[in-house]
Amino acid sequence: MSLNLNESLPSDRQVQVNLGSRSYCVHIGPGIIVRADIMRFIDGDQVLIVTNETVAPLYLEMVREQITDKKVRDIILPDGEQFKNLEVLDEIFSKLLAEKHDRSTTLIAVGGGVIGDMTGFAAATDLRGVSFIQVPTTLLAQVDSSVGGKTAVNHPLGKNMIGAFHQPRTVIVDTNTLQSLPDREFSAGIAEILKYGLIADVDFFNWLEREIDSLMSRDVGKLTYAIEQSCRIKAKVVRSDETEQGVRAILNLGHTFGHAIETFQNYRHWIHGEAISVGILMAMQMSYLRGNLEISHVHRVSELLQHCSLPVKPPHNMTIVDFNKLMLRDKKVRNEKLRLVLLEKIGKAKVIETFERELLQRVLSEFCGPDPSSA
Ligand code: NAD
Ligand code: GLY
């Protein structure tokens, strides 16, 4: 699938993430890997580019060519969510230590959210913290995972359970990289973009709904606008709550359900954005049952997600029992109590601390069918 370049190319866009001494800019534009002057974000003499076996043949050389007069090394990791773990992370540390990288090293993540999260965590912990740059190459990473400084690896018992907050020095979003992205990955990114409209901006959501066909045909101008708006919303939320003491949790609409699906599948089969698609609908159904949303809004979003070839039901073999067990491992759990991100209306989300347990069970049974153990 190639980008629709019939429209004139949009000019480069910038989104500022204001976090005091940790502030940085997200640079968005076609071909911006070549034009961003990445050298100005690299202080020391050593660079390690981290990528994977799928992305390396596409974009590794392009990034490497921008870095002159430095010792540039690379590491190519296996591709897949199932490799986002401590064992594979250790390969990055081994490389850094074996090649005697010091504290002035800059790590550069070139890839999707898996590479970004792992590189960020390596940068947060190597020698107690080194600098890193995000060059996200999936739509999902461009609108979400590369911005905001959450870094992590998965554990067999739970998604993103081991990690740190560590902000990148800059984020370089080259929209040309979306040309090579498979359709399924592209749709997963659309799910996260819809999330931003749902949690924070009804006008943006209405625009996304109107323009969904242009976006799905990868109209470069519309995509650039959607990426910029998404990053703006994320930057605003992160600025007000960098380490998720409160409001930042709204960025996790659908994630309590979605992460349970990913953990259930041992991080295989479904991709992150697909699990989030179902999770968003389950959270919306819960919001409807609590009297906050009209059912027509739930149906409207369900149709939109299906239009983008995204799933709207959990995996057929996942039961209520699985959900109940796995959701309790969510990072939003406090004192063994689940907290949920729900919608008050389209464009406004809230973290709910206390809710009616039976309503949650009703949502689970509507999406999974009845509890098999009660038959
Ligand atoms: P991913 O990193 O697995 O990338 C998806 C696939 O696309 C991979 O096979 C990858 O090799 C391939 N790919 C990447 N760029 C490509 C390109 N330009 N052309 C062709 N193929 C390309 O998945 P993702 O959806 O990017 O990220 C999901 C991960 O991000 C999950 O682990 C999730 O937990 C994490 N995440 C983190 C945050 C955060 O705030 N840190 C937010 C959202 C998601
Ligand atoms: N993706 C959720 C967050 O960054 O907080």
Side-chain angles (χ1 to χ4, degrees), residues 191-272:
E192 296 279 12
I193 294 176
L194 292 171
K195 176 194 78 180
Y196 287 112
L198 290 169
I199 60 171
D201 189 340
V202 65
D203 293 336
F204 182 44
F205 179 79
N206 290 336
W207 180 87
L208 290 167
E209 192 175 43
R210 272 197 313 278
E211 299 294 348
I212 200 66
D213 288 330
S214 306
L215 289 164
M216 290 303 287
S217 66
R218 307 193 193 194
D219 176 303
V220 71
K222 302 269 165 56
L223 269 179
T224 303
Y225 176 75
I227 294 168
E228 182 187 352
Q229 281 306 107
S230 300
C231 290
R232 271 192 205 294
I233 292 171
K234 181 148 189 186
K236 193 172 167 201
V237 175
V238 169
R239 187 177 63 216
S240 64
D241 180 21
E242 183 181 2
T243 57
E244 199 168 307
Q245 304 305 307
V247 70
R248 182 167 177 164
I250 65 167
L251 295 170
N252 283 329
L253 175 70
H255 285 54
T256 304
F257 302 103
H259 282 173
I261 293 173
E262 288 184 89
T263 308
F264 174 75
Q265 296 190 327
N266 287 322
Y267 315 113
R268 291 162 200 267
H269 311 301
W270 282 28
I271 57 178
H272 177 70

Coordinates of all heavy atoms in Angstrom, one line a residue, residues 191-272:
A191 N -6.7 2.8 15.3 CA -7.5 2.6 16.6 C -7.0 3.5 17.7 O -7.8 4.1 18.4 CB -7.3 1.1 17.1
E192 N -5.7 3.7 17.8 CA -5.1 4.6 18.8 C -5.5 6.1 18.5 O -5.7 6.9 19.4 CB -3.6 4.5 19.0 CG -3.2 3.1 19.4 CD -3.3 2.9 21.0 OE1 -3.9 3.7 21.7 OE2 -2.7 1.9 21.5
I193 N -5.5 6.4 17.2 CA -5.9 7.8 16.8 C -7.4 8.1 17.2 O -7.7 9.1 17.8 CB -5.7 8.1 15.3 CG1 -4.2 8.0 15.0 CG2 -6.3 9.4 14.9 CD1 -3.9 8.1 13.5
L194 N -8.3 7.1 16.9 CA -9.7 7.3 17.3 C -9.8 7.4 18.8 O -10.6 8.2 19.3 CB -10.5 6.1 16.9 CG -10.7 5.9 15.4 CD1 -11.3 4.5 15.0 CD2 -11.5 7.0 14.8
K195 N -8.9 6.7 19.6 CA -8.9 6.8 21.0 C -8.7 8.3 21.5 O -9.4 8.7 22.4 CB -7.8 6.0 21.6 CG -7.5 6.1 23.1 CD -6.2 5.5 23.5 CE -5.0 6.4 23.2 NZ -3.7 5.9 23.6
Y196 N -7.8 9.0 20.8 CA -7.6 10.4 21.2 C -8.9 11.3 21.1 O -9.2 12.1 22.0 CB -6.5 11.1 20.4 CG -5.1 10.5 20.8 CD1 -4.4 9.8 19.9 CD2 -4.6 10.8 22.1 CE1 -3.1 9.3 20.3 CE2 -3.3 10.3 22.4 CZ -2.6 9.5 21.5 OH -1.4 9.1 21.9
G197 N -9.6 11.1 20.0 CA -10.8 11.8 19.8 C -11.8 11.4 20.9 O -12.5 12.3 21.5
L198 N -11.9 10.1 21.2 CA -12.9 9.7 22.1 C -12.6 10.2 23.5 O -13.5 10.6 24.3 CB -12.9 8.1 22.2 CG -13.5 7.5 20.9 CD1 -13.3 6.0 20.9 CD2 -15.0 7.8 20.9
I199 N -11.3 10.3 23.9 CA -11.0 10.7 25.3 C -11.0 12.2 25.5 O -11.2 12.7 26.6 CB -9.7 10.1 25.9 CG1 -8.5 10.5 25.0 CG2 -9.8 8.6 25.9 CD1 -7.2 10.1 25.6
A200 N -10.7 12.9 24.4 CA -10.3 14.3 24.7 C -10.9 15.4 23.7 O -10.7 16.6 24.0 CB -8.8 14.5 24.8
D201 N -11.4 15.0 22.6 CA -11.7 16.0 21.6 C -12.8 15.6 20.6 O -12.5 14.9 19.6 CB -10.4 16.4 20.8 CG -10.5 17.6 19.9 OD1 -11.7 17.9 19.6 OD2 -9.5 18.1 19.5
V202 N -14.0 16.0 20.9 CA -15.2 15.5 20.1 C -15.1 16.0 18.7 O -15.4 15.3 17.7 CB -16.5 15.9 20.8 CG1 -16.7 17.4 20.8 CG2 -17.7 15.2 20.1
D203 N -14.5 17.2 18.5 CA -14.4 17.8 17.1 C -13.4 16.9 16.3 O -13.7 16.6 15.1 CB -13.9 19.2 17.1 CG -15.0 20.1 17.7 OD1 -16.2 19.7 17.7 OD2 -14.6 21.2 18.3
F204 N -12.3 16.5 16.9 CA -11.3 15.7 16.3 C -12.0 14.3 15.9 O -11.8 13.8 14.8 CB -10.1 15.5 17.2 CG -9.0 14.7 16.6 CD1 -8.6 14.9 15.3 CD2 -8.3 13.8 17.4 CE1 -7.5 14.1 14.7 CE2 -7.3 13.0 16.8 CZ -6.9 13.2 15.5
F205 N -12.8 13.8 16.9 CA -13.4 12.5 16.6 C -14.4 12.6 15.4 O -14.4 11.8 14.5 CB -14.2 12.0 17.8 CG -14.9 10.7 17.6 CD1 -14.2 9.5 17.6 CD2 -16.2 10.7 17.2 CE1 -14.8 8.3 17.2 CE2 -16.9 9.5 16.9 CZ -16.1 8.3 16.9
N206 N -15.2 13.7 15.4 CA -16.1 13.9 14.3 C -15.3 14.0 13.0 O -15.8 13.5 11.9 CB -17.0 15.1 14.5 CG -18.0 14.9 15.6 OD1 -18.3 13.8 15.9 ND2 -18.4 16.0 16.3
W207 N -14.2 14.8 13.0 CA -13.4 14.9 11.8 C -12.9 13.5 11.3 O -12.9 13.2 10.1 CB -12.2 15.9 12.1 CG -11.3 16.1 10.9 CD1 -11.4 17.0 9.9 CD2 -10.1 15.4 10.6 NE1 -10.4 16.9 9.0 CE2 -9.6 15.9 9.4 CE3 -9.4 14.3 11.2 CZ2 -8.4 15.4 8.8 CZ3 -8.3 13.8 10.6 CH2 -7.8 14.4 9.4
L208 N -12.4 12.7 12.3 CA -11.9 11.4 11.9 C -12.9 10.6 11.3 O -12.7 9.9 10.3 CB -11.3 10.7 13.2 CG -10.1 11.3 13.8 CD1 -9.8 10.7 15.2 CD2 -8.8 11.0 12.9
E209 N -14.1 10.6 11.9 CA -15.2 9.9 11.3 C -15.6 10.3 9.9 O -15.8 9.4 9.0 CB -16.5 10.0 12.2 CG -17.6 9.1 12.0 CD -18.7 9.2 13.0 OE1 -19.1 10.4 13.3 OE2 -19.2 8.2 13.4
R210 N -15.6 11.6 9.7 CA -15.8 12.1 8.3 C -14.8 11.7 7.3 O -15.0 11.4 6.2 CB -15.9 13.6 8.3 CG -17.2 14.2 8.6 CD -17.3 15.7 8.2 NE -16.2 16.5 8.6 CZ -16.1 17.1 9.9 NH1 -17.0 16.9 10.8 NH2 -15.0 17.8 10.1
E211 N -13.5 11.7 7.8 CA -12.4 11.6 6.9 C -11.8 10.1 6.9 O -10.7 9.9 6.3 CB -11.2 12.5 7.3 CG -11.6 14.0 7.2 CD -11.9 14.5 5.8 OE1 -11.6 13.7 4.8 OE2 -12.4 15.6 5.6
I212 N -12.6 9.2 7.4 CA -12.0 7.9 7.7 C -11.6 7.2 6.3 O -10.5 6.5 6.3 CB -13.0 6.9 8.5 CG1 -12.2 5.8 9.1 CG2 -14.1 6.5 7.7 CD1 -11.2 6.2 10.1
D213 N -12.3 7.4 5.3 CA -11.9 6.8 4.0 C -10.6 7.4 3.5 O -9.7 6.6 3.0 CB -13.0 6.8 3.0 CG -14.2 5.9 3.3 OD1 -13.9 4.9 4.0 OD2 -15.3 6.2 3.1
S214 N -10.4 8.7 3.6 CA -9.2 9.3 3.1 C -8.0 8.8 4.0 O -6.9 8.6 3.5 CB -9.2 10.8 3.3 OG -10.3 11.3 2.6
L215 N -8.3 8.7 5.3 CA -7.2 8.3 6.2 C -6.8 6.8 5.9 O -5.6 6.5 5.8 CB -7.7 8.4 7.7 CG -7.8 9.8 8.2 CD1 -8.6 9.8 9.5 CD2 -6.4 10.4 8.5
M216 N -7.8 6.0 5.6 CA -7.5 4.6 5.3 C -6.8 4.4 4.0 O -6.1 3.4 3.8 CB -8.8 3.7 5.4 CG -9.4 3.5 6.8 SD -8.2 2.8 7.9 CE -8.2 1.1 7.4
S217 N -7.1 5.4 3.1 CA -6.4 5.3 1.8 C -5.0 6.0 1.9 O -4.3 6.3 1.0 CB -7.2 5.8 0.6 OG -7.4 7.2 0.8
R218 N -4.6 6.4 3.1 CA -3.3 7.0 3.5 C -3.1 8.3 2.8 O -2.0 8.6 2.4 CB -2.2 6.0 3.2 CG -2.5 4.6 3.9 CD -1.3 3.7 3.9 NE -1.7 2.3 4.3 CZ -0.8 1.4 4.6 NH1 0.4 1.6 4.6 NH2 -1.3 0.2 4.9
D219 N -4.1 9.1 2.7 CA -3.9 10.5 2.2 C -2.9 11.2 3.2 O -3.2 11.4 4.4 CB -5.3 11.2 2.3 CG -5.2 12.6 1.9 OD1 -4.5 13.4 2.5 OD2 -6.0 13.0 1.0
V220 N -1.8 11.6 2.6 CA -0.7 12.1 3.4 C -1.0 13.4 4.2 O -0.6 13.5 5.3 CB 0.6 12.2 2.5 CG1 0.5 13.3 1.6 CG2 1.8 12.3 3.4
G221 N -1.8 14.3 3.6 CA -2.2 15.5 4.2 C -3.1 15.2 5.4 O -2.8 15.8 6.5
K222 N -4.1 14.4 5.2 CA -5.0 14.1 6.3 C -4.3 13.3 7.4 O -4.5 13.5 8.6 CB -6.2 13.2 5.8 CG -6.9 13.9 4.7 CD -8.1 14.7 5.2 CE -8.7 15.7 4.2 NZ -9.2 15.2 3.0
L223 N -3.4 12.4 7.0 CA -2.6 11.6 8.0 C -1.7 12.5 8.9 O -1.7 12.4 10.1 CB -1.8 10.6 7.3 CG -2.4 9.2 7.1 CD1 -1.4 8.3 6.4 CD2 -2.8 8.6 8.4
T224 N -1.1 13.5 8.2 CA -0.2 14.4 8.9 C -1.0 15.2 10.0 O -0.6 15.3 11.1 CB 0.5 15.4 8.0 OG1 1.2 14.6 7.0 CG2 1.5 16.3 8.7
Y225 N -2.2 15.6 9.6 CA -3.0 16.3 10.5 C -3.4 15.4 11.7 O -3.4 15.8 12.9 CB -4.3 16.9 9.8 CG -5.3 17.5 10.8 CD1 -5.0 18.8 11.3 CD2 -6.4 16.9 11.2 CE1 -5.9 19.4 12.2 CE2 -7.3 17.5 12.1 CZ -7.0 18.8 12.5 OH -7.9 19.4 13.4
A226 N -3.8 14.2 11.4 CA -4.3 13.3 12.4 C -3.1 12.9 13.4 O -3.3 12.9 14.6 CB -4.8 12.0 11.8
I227 N -1.9 12.8 12.8 CA -0.7 12.5 13.7 C -0.4 13.7 14.6 O -0.2 13.6 15.8 CB 0.5 12.1 12.8 CG1 0.3 10.8 12.1 CG2 1.8 12.0 13.7 CD1 1.3 10.5 11.0
E228 N -0.5 14.9 14.0 CA -0.2 16.1 14.8 C -1.2 16.3 15.9 O -0.8 16.5 17.1 CB -0.2 17.3 13.8 CG 0.2 18.6 14.6 CD 0.0 19.8 13.7 OE1 -0.3 19.7 12.5 OE2 0.1 20.9 14.2
Q229 N -2.5 16.1 15.6 CA -3.5 16.3 16.6 C -3.3 15.3 17.7 O -3.5 15.6 18.9 CB -4.9 16.2 16.0 CG -5.4 17.4 15.2 CD -5.3 18.7 16.1 OE1 -4.4 19.5 15.9 NE2 -6.2 18.8 17.1
S230 N -3.1 14.1 17.3 CA -2.9 13.0 18.3 C -1.8 13.3 19.3 O -1.9 13.2 20.5 CB -2.6 11.6 17.7 OG -3.7 11.3 16.8
C231 N -0.6 13.7 18.7 CA 0.6 14.1 19.5 C 0.3 15.3 20.4 O 0.7 15.3 21.5 CB 1.8 14.3 18.6 SG 2.4 12.8 17.8
R232 N -0.5 16.2 19.9 CA -0.9 17.4 20.7 C -1.7 17.0 21.9 O -1.4 17.5 23.0 CB -1.7 18.4 19.9 CG -0.9 19.4 19.1 CD -1.6 20.6 18.5 NE -0.8 21.0 17.4 CZ 0.4 21.6 17.5 NH1 0.9 21.8 18.7 NH2 1.0 21.9 16.4
I233 N -2.7 16.2 21.7 CA -3.5 15.7 22.8 C -2.6 15.0 23.8 O -2.7 15.2 25.0 CB -4.7 14.8 22.3 CG1 -5.7 15.7 21.5 CG2 -5.4 14.2 23.5 CD1 -6.7 14.9 20.8
K234 N -1.8 14.1 23.3 CA -1.0 13.3 24.2 C 0.0 14.2 25.0 O 0.2 14.1 26.2 CB -0.2 12.2 23.5 CG 0.7 11.4 24.4 CD 0.9 10.0 24.0 CE 1.6 9.2 25.2 NZ 1.9 7.9 24.9
A235 N 0.6 15.1 24.3 CA 1.6 16.0 24.9 C 0.9 16.8 26.0 O 1.5 17.0 27.1 CB 2.2 17.0 23.9
K236 N -0.3 17.3 25.8 CA -1.0 18.0 26.8 C -1.3 17.2 28.1 O -1.1 17.7 29.2 CB -2.4 18.5 26.2 CG -3.0 19.6 27.0 CD -4.2 20.2 26.3 CE -5.1 21.0 27.2 NZ -6.4 21.1 26.7
V237 N -1.8 16.0 27.9 CA -2.0 15.1 29.0 C -0.7 14.8 29.8 O -0.7 14.9 31.0 CB -2.7 13.8 28.5 CG1 -2.9 12.8 29.7 CG2 -4.1 14.1 27.9
V238 N 0.3 14.5 29.0 CA 1.6 14.1 29.6 C 2.2 15.3 30.4 O 2.7 15.1 31.5 CB 2.6 13.6 28.6 CG1 4.0 13.4 29.1 CG2 2.1 12.2 28.0
R239 N 2.0 16.5 29.9 CA 2.5 17.6 30.5 C 1.9 17.8 31.9 O 2.5 18.2 32.9 CB 2.3 18.9 29.7 CG 2.9 20.1 30.2 CD 2.7 21.3 29.3 NE 1.3 21.7 29.2 CZ 0.7 22.1 28.1 NH1 1.4 22.2 27.0 NH2 -0.6 22.4 28.1
S240 N 0.6 17.5 32.0 CA -0.1 17.7 33.3 C 0.1 16.5 34.3 O -0.2 16.7 35.4 CB -1.6 17.9 33.1 OG -2.2 16.8 32.5
D241 N 0.6 15.4 33.8 CA 0.7 14.2 34.7 C 1.8 13.3 34.1 O 1.4 12.2 33.6 CB -0.6 13.6 34.9 CG -0.6 12.3 35.8 OD1 0.4 12.2 36.6 OD2 -1.5 11.5 35.7
E242 N 3.0 13.6 34.1 CA 4.1 12.9 33.4 C 4.1 11.4 33.9 O 4.3 10.5 33.1 CB 5.4 13.6 33.6 CG 6.6 12.9 32.9 CD 7.9 13.6 33.1 OE1 8.0 14.6 33.9 OE2 8.9 13.1 32.5
T243 N 4.0 11.2 35.2 CA 4.3 9.8 35.7 C 3.0 9.1 36.1 O 3.0 8.2 37.0 CB 5.2 9.9 36.9 OG1 4.7 10.7 37.9 CG2 6.6 10.4 36.5
E244 N 1.9 9.5 35.5 CA 0.6 8.9 35.7 C 0.2 8.7 37.2 O -0.1 7.6 37.6 CB 0.6 7.5 35.0 CG -0.9 7.0 34.7 CD -1.0 5.9 33.8 OE1 -0.4 5.9 32.7 OE2 -1.6 4.9 34.2
Q245 N 0.1 9.8 37.8 CA -0.4 9.8 39.2 C -2.0 9.9 39.1 O -2.7 9.6 40.1 CB 0.1 11.0 40.0 CG 1.6 11.0 40.1 CD 2.2 9.7 40.6 OE1 1.8 9.2 41.7 NE2 3.1 9.1 39.9
G246 N -2.5 10.4 38.0 CA -3.9 10.6 37.9 C -4.4 10.6 36.5 O -4.5 9.6 35.8
V247 N -4.5 11.8 35.9 CA -5.2 12.0 34.6 C -4.6 11.3 33.4 O -5.3 10.9 32.5 CB -5.4 13.5 34.3 CG1 -4.1 14.2 33.9 CG2 -6.4 13.7 33.2
R248 N -3.3 11.0 33.5 CA -2.6 10.4 32.3 C -3.3 9.0 32.0 O -3.2 8.5 30.9 CB -1.1 10.2 32.6 CG -0.4 9.6 31.4 CD 1.1 9.6 31.4 NE 1.6 8.9 30.3 CZ 2.8 9.0 29.8 NH1 3.7 9.8 30.4 NH2 3.2 8.3 28.7
A249 N -3.9 8.4 33.0 CA -4.5 7.1 32.8 C -5.6 7.1 31.7 O -5.9 6.1 31.1 CB -5.1 6.6 34.1
I250 N -6.1 8.3 31.4 CA -7.2 8.4 30.4 C -6.6 7.9 29.0 O -7.3 7.5 28.2 CB -7.9 9.7 30.3 CG1 -7.0 10.8 29.8 CG2 -8.6 10.1 31.6 CD1 -7.7 12.1 29.4
L251 N -5.3 8.1 28.9 CA -4.7 7.6 27.6 C -4.8 6.1 27.5 O -4.5 5.6 26.4 CB -3.2 8.0 27.6 CG -2.9 9.5 27.5 CD1 -1.4 9.8 27.7 CD2 -3.4 10.1 26.2
N252 N -5.2 5.5 28.5 CA -5.3 4.0 28.5 C -6.7 3.5 28.3 O -7.1 2.4 28.7 CB -4.8 3.4 29.8 CG -3.3 3.4 29.8 OD1 -2.6 3.3 28.8 ND2 -2.7 3.5 31.0
L253 N -7.6 4.4 27.7 CA -8.9 3.9 27.4 C -8.9 2.6 26.7 O -8.2 2.4 25.7 CB -9.7 4.9 26.5 CG -11.1 4.5 26.0 CD1 -12.1 4.5 27.2 CD2 -11.6 5.4 24.9
G254 N -9.6 1.6 27.2 CA -9.6 0.2 26.5 C -8.4 -0.7 26.9 O -8.4 -1.9 26.5
H255 N -7.4 -0.1 27.6 CA -6.2 -0.9 27.8 C -6.4 -2.0 28.8 O -5.7 -3.0 28.8 CB -5.0 0.0 28.1 CG -4.5 0.8 26.9 ND1 -5.3 1.5 26.1 CD2 -3.3 0.8 26.3 CE1 -4.6 2.1 25.1 NE2 -3.3 1.6 25.2
T256 N -7.2 -1.8 29.8 CA -7.4 -2.8 30.9 C -7.9 -4.1 30.2 O -7.4 -5.2 30.5 CB -8.4 -2.3 31.9 OG1 -7.9 -1.1 32.4 CG2 -8.5 -3.3 33.1
F257 N -8.9 -3.9 29.3 CA -9.4 -5.1 28.6 C -8.4 -5.6 27.5 O -8.1 -6.8 27.4 CB -10.7 -4.7 27.9 CG -11.8 -4.2 28.8 CD1 -12.1 -2.9 28.9 CD2 -12.5 -5.1 29.6 CE1 -13.1 -2.4 29.8 CE2 -13.5 -4.7 30.5 CZ -13.8 -3.3 30.5
G258 N -7.8 -4.6 26.8 CA -6.9 -4.9 25.7 C -5.6 -5.6 26.2 O -5.2 -6.6 25.6
H259 N -5.0 -5.2 27.3 CA -3.8 -5.8 27.8 C -4.1 -7.2 28.3 O -3.3 -8.1 28.2 CB -3.2 -5.0 28.9 CG -2.4 -3.8 28.5 ND1 -1.9 -2.8 29.3 CD2 -2.0 -3.4 27.2 CE1 -1.3 -1.9 28.6 NE2 -1.3 -2.2 27.3
A260 N -5.3 -7.4 28.8 CA -5.7 -8.8 29.3 C -5.7 -9.7 28.0 O -5.3 -10.8 28.1 CB -7.1 -8.7 29.9
I261 N -6.2 -9.2 26.9 CA -6.3 -10.0 25.7 C -4.9 -10.4 25.3 O -4.5 -11.5 24.9 CB -7.0 -9.3 24.6 CG1 -8.5 -9.1 24.9 CG2 -6.9 -10.0 23.2 CD1 -9.3 -8.3 23.9
E262 N -4.0 -9.3 25.3 CA -2.6 -9.6 24.8 C -1.9 -10.6 25.7 O -1.2 -11.5 25.2 CB -1.8 -8.3 24.8 CG -2.2 -7.4 23.7 CD -1.3 -6.1 23.6 OE1 -0.3 -6.2 22.9 OE2 -1.7 -5.1 24.3
T263 N -2.1 -10.5 27.0 CA -1.4 -11.4 28.0 C -2.0 -12.8 27.8 O -1.3 -13.8 27.8 CB -1.6 -10.9 29.4 OG1 -1.2 -9.5 29.5 CG2 -0.8 -11.7 30.4
F264 N -3.3 -12.9 27.6 CA -4.0 -14.2 27.4 C -3.4 -14.9 26.2 O -3.2 -16.1 26.2 CB -5.5 -13.9 27.2 CG -6.2 -15.2 26.8 CD1 -6.5 -16.2 27.7 CD2 -6.6 -15.4 25.4 CE1 -7.2 -17.3 27.4 CE2 -7.3 -16.5 25.1 CZ -7.6 -17.5 26.0
Q265 N -3.0 -14.1 25.2 CA -2.4 -14.7 24.0 C -0.9 -14.9 24.0 O -0.3 -15.1 23.0 CB -2.9 -13.9 22.7 CG -4.4 -13.9 22.5 CD -4.7 -13.3 21.2 OE1 -4.0 -12.4 20.7 NE2 -5.7 -13.8 20.5
N266 N -0.3 -14.7 25.2 CA 1.1 -14.7 25.3 C 1.8 -13.8 24.3 O 2.9 -14.1 23.7 CB 1.7 -16.1 25.1 CG 1.4 -17.0 26.3 OD1 1.4 -16.5 27.4 ND2 1.0 -18.2 26.1
Y267 N 1.2 -12.6 24.1 CA 1.7 -11.6 23.2 C 1.9 -12.1 21.7 O 2.8 -11.7 21.0 CB 3.1 -11.0 23.8 CG 2.9 -10.7 25.2 CD1 3.6 -11.4 26.2 CD2 2.0 -9.8 25.7 CE1 3.4 -11.2 27.5 CE2 1.8 -9.5 27.0 CZ 2.5 -10.2 27.9 OH 2.4 -10.0 29.3
R268 N 1.1 -13.0 21.3 CA 1.1 -13.5 19.9 C -0.3 -13.3 19.3 O -1.2 -12.9 20.0 CB 1.5 -15.0 19.9 CG 2.9 -15.3 20.3 CD 3.0 -16.7 20.7 NE 4.2 -16.9 21.5 CZ 5.4 -17.2 21.0 NH1 5.6 -17.4 19.7 NH2 6.5 -17.3 21.8
H269 N -0.4 -13.6 18.1 CA -1.7 -13.6 17.3 C -2.2 -12.2 17.1 O -2.1 -11.7 16.0 CB -2.7 -14.5 18.0 CG -2.2 -15.9 18.4 ND1 -1.7 -16.7 17.4 CD2 -2.1 -16.5 19.5 CE1 -1.2 -17.8 18.0 NE2 -1.5 -17.7 19.3
W270 N -2.9 -11.6 18.1 CA -3.4 -10.3 17.8 C -2.3 -9.2 18.1 O -1.5 -9.4 19.0 CB -4.6 -10.0 18.8 CG -5.9 -10.6 18.4 CD1 -6.0 -11.8 17.7 CD2 -7.2 -10.2 18.8 NE1 -7.3 -12.1 17.6 CE2 -8.1 -11.1 18.2 CE3 -7.7 -9.1 19.5 CZ2 -9.4 -11.0 18.4 CZ3 -9.0 -9.0 19.7 CH2 -9.9 -9.9 19.1
I271 N -2.4 -8.1 17.4 CA -1.5 -7.0 17.7 C -2.1 -6.0 18.6 O -3.3 -6.0 18.8 CB -0.9 -6.4 16.3 CG1 -2.1 -5.9 15.5 CG2 -0.1 -7.4 15.6 CD1 -1.6 -5.2 14.2
H272 N -1.2 -5.2 19.2 CA -1.7 -4.3 20.3 C -2.9 -3.5 19.9 O -3.9 -3.4 20.6 CB -0.5 -3.4 20.7 CG -0.8 -2.4 21.7 ND1 -1.1 -2.7 23.0 CD2 -1.0 -1.0 21.6 CE1 -1.3 -1.6 23.7 NE2 -1.3 -0.6 22.9

